[in-house]
Structure formats: structure tokens, C-alpha cells
Amino acid sequence: MEEAMKNDTIRGYLTSAQAMADYAEILIYIKDKLSAHNSPIIVIGGSYGGMLASWFRLKYPHIALGALASSAPILYFDDITPQNGYFSIVTKDFKEVSHTCYETIRESWSQIEKVASKPNGLSILSRKFKLCSQLKSSKELKFYLERMYSGAAQYNHPPNYPVTLVCNGIDGAPNATDIIGRIFAGVVSYRGKQKCYDTNATSYTIDTRLGWKWQTCSEMVIPIGRGSNDTMFPSAPFNLSKFSEDCKSSYGVSPRPHWVTAYYGGHNIKLVLHRFASNIIFSNGLRDPYSSGGQITGC
């Protein structure tokens, strides 16, 4: 994947439309090989795969009789969904588990900045969080924590329930523990006891990150952001100009923020699905942050 992403021609094939065209060819081939011409096909997917499933039913109704699209944020494009939808649900998930945990996280960002502004503040934070490498800026730590909280909410599955794990650590710290110490206790509870904690650690493989970053630049522009005091996170509105600069710097391409809604639809989606796309079940858990951009009703 790393080599493919360096090749302009090869990476150009990594698109949702190409993926679905490949699936169409494969499914037709398999039905022919198995002499299963009259067997119905139901396509199933979750997250990005859920988007593909619903779009496949729209684009290839002669191949797929129906679709189950789970956690498919097909409406998180072109400002159909509020920018803060994702982080609003992450915030709600934490608040529902523990209001004191939510308050601690909400107050922690200013405390991190307060410590970071001191002489040797970044070294102090690096030691307090037992980081594997010295912080270069407070943004690095805050981004690490933001990913942890959002990942816990997005994959908040049994039996461990990651949001509960984080909050148990934060709320279970000794009474005299300050806010920074409580946040670190949440990290330990979630990630387990380690010799040190890597701020670059992620649940995604490098291949997944590289591929998805390319797709967000080339076609899947999801404007996730947040304003001031509308979530438990610091303000970080989506900035299309800065996003475009990053995409041009990384790949030499400008993002197409309106492409998905032009190619697949999105506006007035209920009417569109009613007219053109039967047999799609949109399955969304309401604790899933991406449900904010999902179609809730089955069509």
C-alpha cells in the first residue's frame, strides 16, 4: 500500500466507484461459475463498507437484490450533517456513562495547556503520561487523547465497553489526584499498564490509514469538526482551505467536497431512496458517533 500510494496512476484506482465495479465483476463471475444465476445477492457492510453496500444497491440494482448497511454515514457529506455530529455523540456517550468523567475530560484541555506553558512544561507532561518519546507540542498529546476517546466511543463493544473502561480509570483515581493524573489513569485503564505510551499508536494498520487518507482527499470529504463548547473537546472546526492544502501537499490533488452527493446522492435522501432504492436496511447503533451521518430508517 505504501508503494502504491506513491504512484499517481495506481492510487487513482482506489475509489469507491472502482471498488463497487470490481465487486460487480466478481459477483457476476461467481454466479456464472456456480451456475447460480437465479440466486439473489444481498450486500452487507459496516462503516465505509456500509456506504459501499447502500451505494451498490443504488448503482447495481440488477446485481444486488438488497443491502444491509451498518454504521454507514452516507449523509456526512456536503454539510448535510452538522460538522460536530460525530464528536457530539462521543460526548454524549461519555456523559451517559459518567458525568464526572465527562466534566474531567472537558476541563483537562485547559489544564494540559496550563502545564505545557510552564518552563519544561512539555517534559513534565511527557513524564506524567509516561510517553515513549518527548512531546514536541501540547497538540500531540491532545490529539492522542482525542483519538483515544473517539475510538473508545466508536468501538464501544462488549464485554469491555471501552468508554466505561476510560471513565472507570478517571473516576477511580485516588481522591487527591489532580485532573492531569485522572486523565492518565483513564489512559492506563483503557490501554493497560505499559512501560511507556506511544502517542502515534492507533488501532488502524498503516495500510488502512494510507488508503483512507487518500480517499478522503480524492473523493470522501467528510467535514468532521466541532465548535466552542458544543462538545467535551476543544474547538476545532473543519477548515476546507487547510484540508485542501494538506491534500495538495500529500498527493497533489484538490479534494472534491461535493462529489459524493453528486455521484451517489445525499440531499433529500428519503425521497431518493423511496423512488429508486428499495430493500436497504440502515442499521445504526445510536451510541456510534457515525450514526449522526447515517440514514436511520429502513427503505
Side-chain angles (χ1 to χ4, degrees), residues 126-143:
S126 299
R127 287 197 303 272
K128 281 183 174 288
F129 283 88
K130 291 182 64 176
L131 300 181
C132 298
S133 56
Q134 173 78 18
L135 288 172
K136 297 181 178 64
S137 72
S138 60
K139 287 182 180 179
E140 185 182 341
L141 175 60
K142 290 192 289 186
F143 184 55

Side-chain angles (χ1 to χ4, degrees), residues 58-288:
L58 279 165
K59 294 294 186 181
Y60 296 93
H62 59 292
I63 296 177
L65 179 68
L68 172 57
S70 175
S71 184
I74 61 170
L75 301 181
Y76 221 135
F77 299 96
D78 216 4
D79 294 324
I80 298 172
T81 296
Q83 283 190 13
N84 69 353
Y86 181 95
F87 287 104
S88 291
I89 293 182
V90 174
T91 299
K92 180 174 71 70
D93 290 347
F94 276 85
K95 191 183 289 188
E96 286 179 352
V97 166
S98 166
H99 198 275
T100 55
C101 173
Y102 150 77
E103 286 287 356
T104 301
I105 293 171
R106 193 172 65 84
E107 294 171 15
S108 68
W109 311 111
S110 60
Q111 292 299 312
I112 289 171
E113 285 301 323
K114 185 177 179 180
V115 174
S117 65
K118 294 179 179 180
N120 298 319
L122 293 178
S123 295
I124 294 170
L125 287 172
S126 299
R127 287 197 303 272
K128 281 183 174 288
F129 283 88
K130 291 182 64 176
L131 300 181
C132 298
S133 56
Q134 173 78 18
L135 288 172
K136 297 181 178 64
S137 72
S138 60
K139 287 182 180 179
E140 185 182 341
L141 175 60
K142 290 192 289 186
F143 184 55
Y144 172 72
L145 294 171
E146 288 170 12
R147 282 188 309 177
M148 184 182 79
Y149 300 139
S150 58
Q154 188 168 326
Y155 303 104
N156 194 30
H157 50 74
N160 295 326
Y161 294 103
V163 172
T164 302
L165 265 181
V166 173
C167 284
N168 283 348
I170 290 174
D171 292 342
N175 290 336
T177 308
D178 62 10
I179 288 179
I180 297 291
R182 290 184 181 278
I183 295 299
F184 176 60
V187 173
V188 175
S189 180
Y190 177 68
R191 300 214 178 267
K193 289 186 178 181
Q194 300 179 17
K195 291 180 68 174
C196 67
Y197 296 87
D198 183 3
T199 55
N200 293 314
T202 175
S203 58
Y204 299 105
T205 65
I206 187 170
D207 286 358
T208 303
R209 293 203 311 274
L210 286 170
W212 183 244
K213 184 181 178 184
W214 157 253
Q215 284 189 274
T216 58
C217 276
S218 61
E219 57 166 352
M220 310 283 284
V221 182
I222 301 177
I224 294 179
R226 51 190 188 261
S228 300
N229 299 319
D230 57 4
T231 69
M232 69 180 187
F233 298 91
S235 175
F238 178 78
N239 186 315
L240 182 58
S241 297
K242 185 178 184 306
F243 183 74
S244 297
E245 289 174 9
D246 291 341
C247 290
K248 288 176 183 176
S249 174
S250 298
Y251 302 109
V253 300
S254 296
R256 298 178 290 174
H258 311 297
W259 169 248
V260 165
T261 53
Y263 192 71
Y264 299 114
H267 298 284
N268 301 314
I269 193 67
K270 288 185 179 180
L271 180 60
V272 172
L273 294 175
H274 178 72
R275 287 177 173 173
F276 303 110
S278 61
N279 297 341
I280 301 177
I281 297 173
F282 292 95
S283 171
N284 292 282
L286 296 183
R287 290 182 179 178
D288 173 16

